Amino acid sequence: MAQSSNSTFFSQDELNKLKSDYETGGLEAAVSLIQMKLQKLDSAEINIAVTGETGAGKSTFINAMRGLRDHGEGAAKTGMCETTMEPAPYPHPNLPNVCFWNLPGIGSVIFPVDQYLREMDFKIYDFFIIISGCRFRENDVKLAEEIKRLGTNFYFVRSKIDNDLDSFKKECVDFNTNKQLDKIRNDCVSNLEKAGIPLPTVFLISNFKLNDFDFPALKETLANNLENIKKHVFLLSLPNTTLEIVENKRKELENRIWILATLSGVVGAVPIPGLSFAFKIGIMIAGIQYFRQYLGLDDASLRRLADMAQKPLGFLKTELKTALVGEITDDLVRSVLLGSVVVAISVAEAVLDFVPVVGSIFGAGSSFAMIYKLLSDALNELVENAQRVVKAAFGTD
């Protein structure tokens, strides 16, 4: 089986049960598992705690992870003094169920370490980012030990690495970037090990360069340490700064096609005049809008990306070569559906080979096969446009 099409949501046991439920209880029984998965997907929450000493760059990190600059609408407040008196939530602009929490700086006059550990409700967070703008200190270690005691993942992030490198360049005649990064990393690791943290991993980042240093490795690590559905949601939340991120989103969004096509197949199997065609149109519109939003092609996302890349919004929009980024009307979708029925049926066998469990239920030429093909084509078209926008924004190939 092509596991890439559904492994994020369904185990092999669940797929076998899907087929078994259909054989014993018909379409209604088979689709219940899929509806439950869709509900879990849309309600999945991720709460990410960002903490560390005052002035470490916590707010700027939160803004960067949400695709915002510090002055953007909804950005976390930044400042040289402590600006956070209590945990402050900052939902993702497109996925409000993904929330970054800016925790007060540990070890400040306002929040001594012991009081901090008592008052912060660590249990609500999926993982912690412990940020330092220089060396990790005793307070960071105490915080990590408390998080570890609760069985929650935590990650050490050394921010402002670009400032350090600029300073070293001015002081050193024989400056070597990689050697200096290794020196900083080894120093951080050594200090943490001496303080009692075994084999710590430290990510060196600049909050203003999301594609440089260890930022890509950090995002990959965070995603890989989340369980399947939360990993899916986290990957969709990442700002489009590289082609790899866009491609990862394509793979995740293919799972949505599988679910929407299955729901279409169920309705398509019910002989109610007019309902099946109207339902197909609704599914197509919902699918295209969903893809467009999480690929960063809606107007609000494009504005944020232009601001982050410091490029004119109009310049990025010139890379959009599809009608699917405009208004999605019933007429547009009807023309797509009516013009593609023959094509969809002609590729039904390939579609059903790709998802054989559902294919064995609905069969060739079904609503499932048609919607799967049409939404796949729409997704590919939108991904191509998102890739062009990323290239224009960040000058990457």
Side-chain angles (χ1 to χ4, degrees):
M1 163 164 287
Q3 288 297 308
S4 62
S5 69
N6 46 48
S7 59
T8 298
F9 304 128
F10 296 91
S11 67
Q12 188 61 50
D13 288 342
E14 287 174 327
L15 289 171
N16 293 337
K17 185 177 186 303
L18 175 65
K19 187 171 184 179
S20 174
D21 285 353
Y22 168 73
E23 291 171 348
T24 58
L27 287 173
E28 184 176 346
V31 82
S32 62
L33 175 61
I34 295 170
Q35 289 174 322
M36 288 174 58
K37 284 289 182 178
L38 186 59
Q39 290 171 359
K40 287 183 179 179
L41 174 65
D42 290 339
S43 62
E45 294 184 358
I46 304 178
N47 290 289
I48 302 165
V50 181
T51 187
E53 293 192 340
T54 301
K58 302 189 299 292
S59 297
T60 303
F61 175 81
I62 288 173
N63 293 335
M65 288 295 290
R66 296 186 303 143
L68 297 171
R69 296 183 72 194
D70 287 344
H71 66 268
E73 181 180 352
K77 294 181 180 180
T78 60
M80 294 302 294
C81 60
E82 181 56 58
T83 58
T84 305
M85 300 297 108
E86 59 184 20
Y90 291 95
H92 188 278
N94 279 354
L95 288 99
N97 285 354
V98 177
C99 189
F100 290 82
W101 293 80
N102 192 348
L103 272 57
I106 187 172
S108 65
V109 175
I110 301 172
F111 281 103
V113 176
D114 292 341
Q115 180 184 350
Y116 189 94
L117 297 179
R118 286 195 308 270
E119 294 190 8
M120 297 298 114
D121 186 5
F122 288 178
K123 296 186 292 295
I124 70 171
Y125 305 111
D126 290 281
F127 58 82
F128 287 75
I129 305 292
I130 303 175
I131 295 185
S132 175
C134 50
R135 290 187 175 185
F136 292 97
R137 306 183 189 278
E138 180 183 0
N139 290 339
D140 300 310
V141 173
K142 288 182 178 179
L143 182 59
E145 289 174 341
E146 177 65 14
I147 298 168
K148 184 178 180 180
R149 185 183 67 80
L150 296 171
T152 305
N153 287 334
F154 59 89
Y155 307 91
F156 290 107
V157 172
R158 172 71 158 75
S159 64
K160 305 181 181 181
I161 204 68
D162 49 338
N163 292 344
D164 294 329
L165 292 179
D166 288 341
S167 297
F168 287 129
K169 284 180 183 178
K170 295 175 183 178
E171 298 173 0
C172 183
V173 176
D174 300 321
F175 177 80
N176 181 285
T177 298
N178 290 332
K179 288 182 179 180
Q180 194 59 54
L181 289 172
D182 288 341
K183 182 179 178 181
I184 295 171
R185 191 191 318 278
N186 292 337
D187 181 60
C188 290
V189 169
S190 176
N191 287 336
L192 289 169
E193 287 180 332
K194 289 176 182 177
I197 303 295
L199 302 174
T201 298
V202 177
F203 296 92
L204 310 181
I205 72 164
S206 164
N207 287 326
F208 302 102
K209 299 181 179 180
L210 273 67
N211 296 336
D212 294 338
F213 310 117
D214 291 339
F215 223 137
L218 172 63
K219 288 180 283 190
E220 181 179 359
T221 300
L222 297 179
N224 288 338
N225 287 332
L226 288 167
E227 56 92 10
N228 285 342
I229 289 182
K230 288 193 176 186
K231 177 180 179 179
H232 166 83
V233 175
F234 180 78
L235 288 172
L236 291 183
S237 77
L238 295 176
N240 287 356
T241 58
T242 67
L243 297 181
E244 183 180 5
I245 289 175
V246 175
E247 184 58 33
N248 286 338
K249 288 185 177 183
R250 180 213 297 267
K251 294 174 183 177
E252 297 301 320
L253 290 169
E254 285 173 351
N255 292 284
R256 194 81 175 192
I257 295 176
W258 193 87
I259 291 176
L260 293 176
T262 303
L263 295 176
S264 174
V266 172
V267 173
V270 179
I272 301 176
L275 174 60
S276 178
F277 192 75
F279 193 74
K280 290 190 192 77
I281 291 177
I283 282 182
M284 285 289 293
I285 291 175
I288 292 169
Q289 290 174 338
Y290 188 90
F291 300 157
R292 188 169 64 183
Q293 182 178 6
Y294 296 123
L295 286 169
L297 296 177
D298 59 292
D299 284 344
S301 296
L302 287 169
R303 282 195 298 272
R304 290 192 295 269
L305 185 65
D307 189 33
M308 179 185 292
Q310 299 184 44
K311 298 287 178 65
L313 175 60
F315 172 69
L316 298 187
K317 284 192 170 183
T318 60
E319 300 299 321
L320 301 177
K321 312 294 183 182
T322 173
L324 297 180
V325 297
E327 183 181 2
I328 307 299
T329 64
D330 285 5
D331 288 341
L332 174 64
V333 175
R334 284 174 185 270
S335 66
V336 171
L337 282 172
L338 292 173
S340 305
V341 170
V342 175
V343 176
I345 293 175
S346 70
V347 299
E349 288 187 10
V351 171
L352 301 182
D353 285 343
F354 191 58
V355 279
V357 170
V358 174
S360 67
I361 294 175
F362 295 112
S366 66
S367 294
F368 169 85
M370 183 173 70
I371 294 299
Y372 191 97
K373 174 63 168 60
L374 296 179
L375 284 178
S376 294
D377 289 347
L379 176 60
N380 290 335
E381 187 171 326
L382 289 169
V383 165
E384 291 172 3
N385 280 265
Q387 290 171 336
R388 283 197 294 269
V389 170
V390 170
K391 289 179 183 179
F394 299 102
T396 182
D397 294 326

